[in-house]
């Protein structure tokens, strides 16, 4: 991103990995804060990094909306406000992203949304961003819409289950589903040279293309914030985002919290070799144990690096507790702020059937799990 006063910020929509909510640090001479919101279906999230730059505050959001296999019809439980419960899950998630951005935005700030939105321009999901005032930087730069026959202007379509297409210099893309969208109310901003696709042409070597997707870039040129513009020293994100807490609950005592955390962490700890011990942490119901064994077997290759981190616990009834937790892989958060439930049965706390089934959706054999 090129700024009017000559300062530059480089950003890739896939380069902002999950960051602990409320983080506030200095990096590259710029101060930044980070937060996240879990989207409808609790499988995907939107991550925000707020940068205090010489021209004011810039909010960078990266997300990955529901794929074709995940997208489905909404219902009131799956798609809460501001979503339309009669629409689709992907469109609901799309609506949640600008709503999140608007909730935390500062007057005079700039917002950039990037990522794999899994839909084409003109679709209901992309229309949400258009209605919210976001500019599609690819089109704003004068580039043509994706031409599937030639692959021109396209970002996705190569096979992603093997390296064959990435190794084949003649393979091409067939759809445009990766975007960098920006919103700059009350600011004079425009796209500059360099906006569009990059790494779109094959390179010599074993891999002609570094990814099954083609990357996108944005050069955004903005006026400097005036005396009445954003105060970069007051860029902190709202405290309400810092610590996720289950809704409608009461605090729990230390012994209860330790028991619930132990159940969640043991169940999801891929380094525990005793499979039955892990299964014993979940509420028992017909077919659960066999389903759990199959899921653990399916993820054995990477499972050893999986851990759970309990972020907060809140008592919701005499026999239930709400749990906010994160899933880590090799020490890095991959699913942040997921909402789960613990259930008390005969004096012992277990991972509830609801949470078991919620996690089953993440399994590579989810389609074969019929007990939920």
């Amino acid at each position: 991103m090129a700024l009017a006063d000559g300062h530059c910020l480089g950003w890739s929509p896939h380069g902002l990995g999950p960051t602990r909510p409320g983080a506030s640090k200095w990096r590259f001479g710029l101060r930044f804060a980070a937060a996240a919101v879990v989207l409808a279906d609790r499988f995907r999230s939107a991550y925000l990094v707020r940068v205090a730059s010489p021209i004011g505050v810039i909010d960078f959001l990266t997300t990955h909306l529901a794929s074709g296999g995940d997208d489905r019809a909404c219902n009131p439980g799956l798609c809460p406000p501001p979503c339309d419960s009669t629409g689709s899950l992907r469109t609901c998630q799309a609506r949640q992203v600008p709503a999140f951005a608007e909730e935390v935005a500062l007057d005079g700030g700039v917002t950039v949304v990037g990522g794999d939105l899994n839909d084409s321009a003109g679709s209901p999901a992309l229309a949400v961003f258009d209605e919210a005032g976001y500019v599609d930087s690819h089109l704003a730069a004068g580039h043509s819409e994706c031409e599937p026959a030639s692959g021109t202007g396209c970002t996705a379509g190569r096979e992603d289950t093997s390296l064959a297409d990435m190794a084949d210099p003649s393979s091409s893309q067939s759809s445009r589903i990766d975007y960098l969208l920006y919103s700059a109310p009350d600011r004079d901003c425009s796209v500059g040279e360099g906006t569009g696709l990059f790494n779109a042409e094959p390179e010599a070597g074993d891999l002609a293309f570094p990814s099954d997707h083609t990357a996108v870039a944005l050069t955004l040129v903005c006026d400097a914030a005036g005396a009445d513009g954003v105060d970069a020293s007051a860029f902190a994100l709202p405290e309400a985002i810092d610590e996720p807490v289950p809704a409608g609950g009461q605090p729990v005592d230390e012994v209860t919290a330790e028991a619930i955390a132990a159940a969640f962490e043991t169940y999801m700890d891929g380094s525990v070799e005793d499979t039955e011990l892990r299964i014993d942490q979940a509420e028992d119901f017909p077919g659960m144990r066999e389903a759990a064994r199959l899921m653990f077997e399916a993820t054995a290759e990477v499972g050893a690096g999986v851990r759970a981190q309990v972020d907060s616990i809140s008592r919701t009834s005499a026999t239930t507790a709400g749990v906010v937790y994160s899933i880590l892989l090799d020490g890095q958060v991959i699913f942040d702020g997921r909402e789960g439930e613990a259930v008390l049965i005969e004096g012992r706390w277990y991972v509830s059937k609801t949470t078991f089934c919620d996690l089953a959706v993440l399994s590579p054999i989810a389609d074969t799990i019929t007990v939920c």
Side-chain angles (χ1 to χ4, degrees):
M1 173 179 286
L3 306 181
D5 62 357
H7 292 80
C8 294
L9 292 171
W11 183 61
S12 163
H14 291 287
L16 298 176
T19 307
R20 297 303 305 148
S24 181
K25 303 180 180 179
W26 286 89
R27 182 175 292 175
F28 308 126
L30 296 172
R31 193 179 180 193
F32 71 91
V37 61
V38 179
L39 303 179
D41 90 342
R42 298 182 293 175
F43 177 64
R44 301 181 186 272
S45 302
Y47 295 92
L48 180 149
V49 172
R50 169 166 291 171
V51 176
S53 78
I55 60 97
V57 169
I58 306 171
D59 285 348
F60 296 98
L61 284 94
T62 184
T63 191
H64 188 171
L65 302 187
S67 66
D70 299 328
D71 196 20
R72 54 194 185 276
C74 275
N75 59 61
L78 178 65
C79 302
C83 297
D84 176 1
S85 61
T86 65
S88 73
L89 173 62
R90 184 187 300 138
T91 302
C92 172
Q93 293 173 342
R95 193 169 299 281
Q96 289 175 311
V97 174
F100 173 48
E102 182 178 359
E103 178 184 352
V104 301
L106 296 179
D107 291 342
V110 176
T111 301
V112 179
V113 173
D116 180 352
L117 304 187
N118 264 319
D119 223 332
S120 57
S123 66
L126 269 296
V128 168
F129 290 96
D130 184 57
E131 293 165 4
Y134 283 79
V135 177
D136 184 336
S137 63
H138 179 86
L139 299 181
H143 301 302
S144 62
E145 189 46 89
C146 166
E147 299 175 2
S150 65
T152 302
C154 306
T155 68
R158 293 192 184 100
E159 174 61 47
D160 62 359
T161 59
S162 75
L163 297 178
D165 272 2
M166 285 179 274
D168 180 2
S170 66
S171 66
S172 63
Q173 306 284 37
S174 57
S175 63
R176 186 168 75 96
I177 61 175
D178 302 271
Y179 301 84
L180 282 167
L181 314 170
Y182 73 89
S183 173
D186 305 318
R187 296 294 298 275
D188 183 9
C189 294
S190 60
V191 298
E193 185 177 354
T195 298
L197 309 186
F198 69 91
N199 284 343
E201 299 301 320
E203 299 286 344
D206 293 337
L207 285 181
F209 303 99
S211 170
D212 60 309
H213 285 240
T214 299
V216 292
L218 165 60
T219 301
L220 188 61
V221 182
C222 293
D223 61 322
D228 296 328
V230 174
D231 179 1
S233 67
F235 77 108
L237 291 162
E239 293 183 3
I241 298 175
D242 290 355
E243 296 295 336
V245 177
Q250 299 296 323
V252 298
D253 61 83
E254 184 175 349
V255 172
T256 298
E258 289 178 354
I260 292 173
F264 270 72
E265 291 168 2
T266 303
Y267 178 76
M268 286 178 258
D269 188 341
S271 69
V272 175
E273 296 182 358
D274 187 343
T275 300
E276 298 306 310
L277 174 62
R278 294 179 64 188
I279 296 173
D280 286 342
Q281 309 307 311
E283 177 183 1
D284 199 5
F285 60 94
M288 181 278 288
R289 300 189 73 88
E290 181 60 24
R293 292 187 192 99
L294 293 174
M295 290 190 294
F296 292 157
E297 290 173 3
T299 56
E301 187 173 344
V302 296
V306 175
R307 301 289 187 278
Q309 172 182 288
V310 173
D311 300 317
S312 66
I313 302 171
S314 178
R315 195 68 173 258
T316 51
S317 77
T319 58
T320 60
V323 182
V324 174
Y325 65 98
S326 301
I327 300 176
L328 293 76
L329 178 62
D330 296 330
Q332 299 295 314
V333 177
I334 56 173
F335 295 112
D336 194 12
R338 295 182 67 82
E339 295 182 9
E341 182 186 55
V343 59
L344 183 64
I345 301 174
E346 297 182 353
R348 180 181 167 188
W349 287 98
Y350 296 88
V351 174
S352 72
K353 176 181 178 180
T354 299
T355 302
F356 175 92
C357 292
D358 185 40
L359 289 166
V361 175
L362 306 181
S363 171
I365 61 168
D367 290 345
T368 68
I369 303 299
T370 59
V371 297
C372 293

